[in-house]
């Protein structure tokens, strides 16, 4: 789907907010807090960005993009090439960061990780749930949407140059029954939050990553087979190739985007065998069931996998 870039505006140092609408004014697909879309910037430059607008507004979608000079080129394209009035192709929305039902919510955001948290806060407020946001960033001026968040008593703004790193021990040192913890931000923050939540009830912590876990693809790489359930065709997956590469070479079309196990686009149902999960999307509980896998990075613990392809 191609959408019109209606507005592009700075919302903090290094962050621009894009507002996109259907060029004919048609309603846009429904989405829920935590969802993201793919922006197809060029033929081979596709990036995922969290939706940060109002899910009830079907006339537009909004994403905020941080300029990352050391990144892979997506953010620089958004900042330097995209202009208001251009058509931008999108795919999605998809959601692997759904807001679960809970008594109360503790939101922890680092930098641009605030984007998926914004609609979650709106939903929690609308449902009259107890909530709290602890929002960290490098500097106050770099923290997007700070002005609209500061008026809330439940919001704590922690610029690192003023207060240092977030005090996660005081936040997470004592597990709280009935509290769902949602965290999004840079990998060091996510890793630290996961460590501090180790003693919390199972399923209490929910994280979304912008890049793969550092150890996600560790482990032996063996050759194995995949059986495509729709045709019964059996394919060999060499140790140096992914399932995605093999099935695409066999002529099977599979939606994919990041090819590093973070976006969830290539999620595929597993009908038989035991996946070796190497993604950074599925929760531990989802991985234990073995019902689905990200075929761009994950492999097999069994000699053969049967996939719903």
């Amino acid at each position: 789907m191609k959408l019109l870039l209606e507005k592009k505006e700075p919302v903090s140092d290094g962050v621009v907010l894009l507002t996109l609408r259907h060029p004919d004014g048609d309603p846009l697909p429904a989405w829920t807090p935590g969802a993201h879309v793919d922006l197809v910037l060029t033929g081979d430059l596709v990036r995922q960005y969290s939706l940060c607008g109002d899910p009830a507004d079907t006339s537009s979608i909004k994403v905020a993009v941080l300029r990352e000079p050391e990144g892979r080129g997506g953010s620089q394209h958004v900042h330097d090439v995209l202009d208001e009035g251009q058509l931008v192709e999108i795919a999605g929305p998809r959601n692997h960061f759904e807001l679960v039902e809970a008594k109360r919510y503790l939101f922890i955001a680092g930098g641009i990780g605030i984007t998926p948290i914004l609609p979650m806060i709106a939903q929690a407020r609308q449902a009259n749930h107890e909530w709290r946001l602890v929002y960290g960033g490098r500097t106050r001026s770099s923290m997007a949407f700070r002005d609209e968040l500061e008026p809330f008593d439940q919001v704590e703004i922690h610029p690192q140059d003023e207060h240092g790193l977030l005090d996660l021990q005081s936040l997470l040192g004592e597990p709280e029954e009935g509290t769902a913890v949602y965290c999004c931000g840079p990998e060091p923050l996510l890793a630290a939050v996961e460590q501090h939540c180790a003693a919390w009830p199972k399923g209490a912590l929910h994280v979304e990553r912008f890049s793969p876990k550092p150890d996600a693809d560790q482990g032996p790489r063996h050759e194995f087979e995949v059986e495509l359930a729709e045709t019964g065709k059996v394919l060999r997956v060499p140790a140096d190739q992914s399932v995605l590469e093999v099935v695409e070479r066999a002529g099977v079309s599979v939606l994919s985007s990041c090819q590093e196990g973070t976006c969830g686009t290539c999620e595929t149902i597993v009908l038989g065998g035991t996946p070796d999960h190497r993604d950074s999307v599925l929760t531990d509980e989802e991985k234990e069931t073995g019902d689905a896998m990200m075929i761009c990075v994950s492999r097999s613990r069994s000699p053969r996998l049967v996939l719903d392809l």
Side-chain angles (χ1 to χ4, degrees), residues 1 11 44 58 80 105 113 121 124 126 144 153 168 178 192 220 244 257 270-271 294 297 306:
M1 176 191 306
V11 288
D44 58 355
T58 60
D80 298 337
Y105 299 97
I121 289 173
Q126 188 175 18
D153 294 336
L168 297 179
L244 177 64
S257 180
V270 178
L271 302 176
M294 306 303 158
V297 291
V306 182

Side-chain angles (χ1 to χ4, degrees), residues 138-157:
R138 297 186 312 279
T139 63
R140 194 172 291 271
S141 63
S142 73
M143 300 172 73
F145 309 107
R146 174 178 51 83
D147 290 344
E148 65 188 68
L149 289 168
E150 280 183 322
F152 293 105
D153 294 336
Q154 303 97 321
V155 174
E156 300 169 31
I157 304 292

Side-chain angles (χ1 to χ4, degrees), residues 76-96:
Q76 293 184 56
H77 185 98
V78 169
H79 278 254
D80 298 337
V81 178
L82 289 188
D83 285 325
E84 294 178 354
Q86 290 183 349
L87 292 178
V88 181
E89 185 175 355
I90 72 158
R94 286 180 295 275
N95 200 342
H96 288 275

Side-chain angles (χ1 to χ4, degrees), residues 5-282:
L5 177 53
E6 180 184 66
K7 194 172 185 181
K8 176 182 175 181
E9 56 187 319
V11 288
S12 71
D13 291 349
V15 177
V16 292
L17 178 66
L18 309 182
T19 301
L20 300 113
R21 298 182 184 273
H22 194 284
D24 297 325
D26 295 347
L28 301 181
W31 59 278
T32 52
H36 69 267
V37 293
D38 295 349
L39 294 191
V40 184
L41 302 172
T42 64
D44 58 355
L45 189 61
V46 182
R47 295 292 182 266
Q48 295 75 43
Y49 298 106
S50 298
L51 293 171
C52 58
D54 179 4
D57 178 11
T58 60
S59 68
S60 70
I61 59 171
K62 295 183 179 184
V63 298
V65 181
L66 168 68
R67 179 190 288 276
E68 298 183 83
E70 305 304 318
R72 297 175 296 153
S75 67
Q76 293 184 56
H77 185 98
V78 169
H79 278 254
D80 298 337
V81 178
L82 289 188
D83 285 325
E84 294 178 354
Q86 290 183 349
L87 292 178
V88 181
E89 185 175 355
I90 72 158
R94 286 180 295 275
N95 200 342
H96 288 275
F97 196 42
E98 290 274 6
L99 191 65
V100 300
E101 187 65 28
K103 282 186 179 179
R104 67 189 72 85
Y105 299 97
L106 172 58
F107 300 113
I108 303 173
I112 196 62
I114 190 62
T115 51
I117 302 296
L118 291 174
M120 291 183 178
I121 289 173
Q123 181 171 316
R125 291 181 59 224
Q126 188 175 18
N128 293 316
H129 284 299
E130 183 181 343
W131 63 277
R132 177 186 181 190
L133 167 66
V134 180
Y135 179 17
R138 297 186 312 279
T139 63
R140 194 172 291 271
S141 63
S142 73
M143 300 172 73
F145 309 107
R146 174 178 51 83
D147 290 344
E148 65 188 68
L149 289 168
E150 280 183 322
F152 293 105
D153 294 336
Q154 303 97 321
V155 174
E156 300 169 31
I157 304 292
H158 286 269
Q160 186 176 340
D161 64 339
E162 297 176 25
H163 304 290
L165 297 174
L166 298 181
D167 185 358
L168 297 179
Q169 179 58 35
S170 65
L171 280 175
L172 304 168
E174 292 293 329
E176 297 178 8
E177 193 71 36
T179 296
V181 180
Y182 277 79
C183 182
C184 186
E187 181 58 36
L189 173 64
L190 299 181
V193 168
E194 287 177 329
Q195 182 179 355
H196 281 84
C197 283
W200 280 60
K202 192 173 184 179
L205 175 62
H206 307 262
V207 301
E208 182 171 60
R209 283 180 156 82
F210 299 132
S211 58
K213 292 182 181 180
D215 60 349
D217 197 28
Q218 289 186 354
R221 298 181 68 87
H222 300 303
E223 180 180 302
F224 59 94
E225 295 179 339
V226 291
E227 178 181 338
L228 309 183
E230 291 185 9
T231 62
K233 190 172 185 177
V234 176
L235 305 173
R236 181 177 63 88
V237 182
D240 61 347
Q241 294 181 26
S242 69
V243 176
L244 177 64
E245 290 172 322
V246 169
V247 298
E248 286 188 331
R249 193 173 62 248
V252 179
S253 178
V254 179
L255 287 176
S256 67
S257 180
C258 73
Q259 299 192 22
E260 60 182 14
T262 58
C263 73
T265 306
C266 69
E267 183 173 7
T268 301
I269 301 298
V270 178
L271 302 176
T274 305
D276 177 6
H277 295 289
R278 303 191 181 192
D279 66 90
S280 302
V281 178
L282 297 175

